[in-house]
Amino acid sequence: MSVLQAPTLVKYFYSILYNQEHISLEKIKEILAEEHDGELFVFTPEFNPLTEYYSKEMGQNLKRVIFYQKQLEERDLLVPRKIWATKVEQKNSKDNKRLVNIDVGYVAKEQVLLATGKPYSHRIYLGEGVFAELVYFFKEKTFKSVPWTYPDYQHEEKVQFFNSVR
């Protein structure tokens, strides 16, 4: 029989793709500061293969940054943070097209999760229209991707980044 217990705390991150012609990095920092009390650190990945895919909606000159926190928080914040991110994306849209895409997720000792509003067979419903998607699981002293992990998250640069956040 399993014993129900509180889960470990996690570190949240915000993976943000934005159109540099319409929104600045400083504006992104201001938006995050409105929602997030703690200190956020920045990682700018070099490998971003999905910018071409997103350019159809968001335009050219796209940049990705990942903000992450060192303080630990409750896992239950994933749903409200995804709802907040969706509202920010909608507010910062032009002609029904996003200028910023905010992926909210967390790093736990055993896994990395992303929040999404899109249901698929491998996503678990959390409530209020939000699903959780497993990006990595931790094994043999490193995070390992799963078959549905996005190509940019499969890249060694991001795996090493999330290992360092862990």
Side-chain angles (χ1 to χ4, degrees), residues 43-67:
F43 168 66
T44 306
E46 304 242 345
F47 183 72
N48 295 296
L50 295 179
T51 53
E52 186 176 324
Y53 169 82
Y54 282 102
S55 68
K56 295 170 189 163
E57 175 189 2
M58 299 176 68
Q60 302 300 314
N61 204 10
L62 300 180
K63 177 90 172 177
R64 179 168 304 278
V65 293
I66 301 175
F67 290 88

Side-chain angles (χ1 to χ4, degrees), residues 34 36 45 78 83 96 111 124 148 158:
E34 292 171 10
H36 200 280
L78 189 60
I83 292 168
N96 250 359
Q111 64 198 186
I124 308 301
W148 53 82
K158 288 217 179 84

Side-chain angles (χ1 to χ4, degrees), residues 2-161:
S2 65
V3 177
L4 300 180
Q5 57 187 338
T8 58
L9 299 175
V10 297
K11 296 179 182 179
Y12 279 88
F13 67 91
Y14 305 87
S15 182
I16 301 174
L17 187 66
Y18 64 100
N19 185 314
Q20 297 178 93
E21 294 172 12
H22 296 280
I23 191 166
S24 69
L25 182 57
E26 289 308 313
K27 177 66 175 170
I28 299 286
K29 289 178 182 178
E30 288 174 20
I31 290 168
L32 285 172
E34 292 171 10
E35 172 66 12
H36 200 280
D37 294 337
E39 183 177 9
L40 291 171
F41 300 88
V42 180
F43 168 66
T44 306
E46 304 242 345
F47 183 72
N48 295 296
L50 295 179
T51 53
E52 186 176 324
Y53 169 82
Y54 282 102
S55 68
K56 295 170 189 163
E57 175 189 2
M58 299 176 68
Q60 302 300 314
N61 204 10
L62 300 180
K63 177 90 172 177
R64 179 168 304 278
V65 293
I66 301 175
F67 290 88
Y68 63 99
Q69 64 182 50
K70 291 185 180 176
Q71 72 267 20
L72 297 168
E73 293 188 291
E74 298 288 339
R75 295 175 190 228
D76 297 351
L77 296 172
L78 189 60
V79 170
R81 287 195 175 159
K82 175 59 179 172
I83 292 168
W84 167 82
T86 300
K87 288 177 183 174
V88 169
E89 289 177 355
Q90 291 167 346
K91 183 179 176 185
N92 291 282
S93 294
K94 184 178 179 182
D95 300 324
N96 250 359
K97 294 184 177 185
R98 293 178 297 176
L99 301 175
V100 62
N101 175 15
I102 304 173
D103 290 334
V104 179
Y106 66 65
V107 180
K109 287 180 134 184
E110 68 278 5
Q111 64 198 186
V112 173
L113 291 183
L114 280 174
T116 181
K118 300 174 191 160
Y120 285 110
S121 60
H122 61 277
R123 295 177 176 166
I124 308 301
Y125 186 67
L126 300 176
E128 299 187 60
V130 178
F131 296 80
E133 177 169 330
L134 178 67
V135 177
Y136 304 119
F137 64 94
F138 196 78
K139 183 178 179 182
E140 298 169 350
K141 299 183 182 181
T142 189
F143 281 118
K144 310 261 186 188
S145 62
V146 290
W148 53 82
T149 299
Y150 294 112
D152 57 333
Y153 281 87
Q154 291 179 22
H155 193 266
E156 188 62 25
E157 175 190 35
K158 288 217 179 84
V159 173
Q160 291 308 315
F161 163 71

